[in-house]
Amino acid sequence: SRLTVSDTSIQVSNDLVFDTLLEATMRTNASLLSAQQDITLAELDYRRTMSRDYPYVKLNAGYSYQHSIMETGATRTRDSWGPEAGVRIGMTLFDGKRSSQRRNARLNIENADMARMQLEHSLRADLADLWQAYENNLSLLEFERDNVKTARENHDIACERNLLGNLSGIEMREAQKSLLDAEERILSAEYNTKMCEISLLQISGGVTEYLGVH
């Protein structure tokens, strides 16, 4: 009898581009963005620490009233009032504590920058591994598609021969089993390829768009 295999194929994309995924990963990865923010905060802290050594200018303003008594011959008084302003220029003297603060602030920048670089290298490596697995599975999937095509052709020939009485029951069952095994392998290849595809979209920040479409 003819074996009917249900079509449960998984739709796999083969149009992903590594450079596009890499650019998206570097632009949207939440951990990488957080690491960049840490660098920015460390740089701001360093600038704030350095600004304490710069000369400063202080402005002051006010309004005063003065009452004077003068005794030159006859006693006289004089009142005066009006605004007054002043400028004070100064500089904080160097001390060891501030030097230590500057050094620590600089180390914080270097540590934050190193953490970001390590994370970026890790993401590149993870993306490269996933991409290699994706390409390998695409190649395997193409190979299994050829295999299942051949297994279906052999199964159809076996069915015709069986109807003509030119094929034993054992040979017919072997043809059926070959087709079922080929179908099972291609489903496994499709599943593995799809998982690699989703992982690539996830690491590059595109999985939300994928889920919205699907």
Side-chain angles (χ1 to χ4, degrees), residues 155-172:
H155 178 264
D156 290 342
I157 294 172
C159 287
E160 296 297 331
R161 291 183 59 192
N162 183 60
L163 290 174
L164 295 174
N166 295 330
L167 192 70
S168 66
I170 293 177
E171 290 175 314
M172 186 65 218

Side-chain angles (χ1 to χ4, degrees), residues 68-145:
S68 303
I69 300 177
M70 296 173 289
E71 297 182 356
T72 56
T75 300
R76 294 187 301 170
T77 63
R78 185 177 67 179
D79 295 330
S80 64
W81 61 87
E84 59 181 23
V87 177
R88 185 173 64 178
I89 301 176
M91 183 173 183
T92 304
L93 296 177
F94 172 83
D95 63 34
K97 181 179 180 181
R98 195 153 42 254
S99 176
S100 177
Q101 291 174 341
R102 272 202 316 273
R103 184 169 57 252
N104 290 339
R106 185 62 190 172
L107 286 174
N108 288 339
I109 294 177
E110 294 176 359
N111 290 337
D113 189 53
M114 184 178 298
R116 187 193 183 284
M117 289 180 58
Q118 290 176 344
L119 178 59
E120 183 175 329
H121 290 161
S122 178
L123 286 171
R124 286 177 180 269
D126 290 345
L127 184 66
D129 290 343
L130 287 172
W131 181 257
Q132 187 62 55
Y134 172 70
E135 287 195 316
N136 291 343
N137 278 287
L138 278 177
S139 298
L140 179 60
L141 179 57
E142 192 63 28
F143 176 76
E144 294 298 348
R145 283 171 175 167

Side-chain angles (χ1 to χ4, degrees), residues 11 194 197 209-214:
Q11 298 301 315
K194 194 65 179 180
E197 177 189 334
E209 180 180 351
Y210 166 81
L211 292 175
V213 173
H214 294 75

Side-chain angles (χ1 to χ4, degrees), residues 12-21 130-131 134-135 138 193-194 196-201 204 210:
V12 174
S13 172
N14 62 352
D15 59 356
L16 298 181
V17 179
F18 179 80
D19 289 342
T20 301
L21 293 170
L130 287 172
W131 181 257
Y134 172 70
E135 287 195 316
L138 278 177
T193 306
K194 194 65 179 180
C196 289
E197 177 189 334
I198 292 174
S199 296
L200 285 169
L201 293 174
S204 62
Y210 166 81

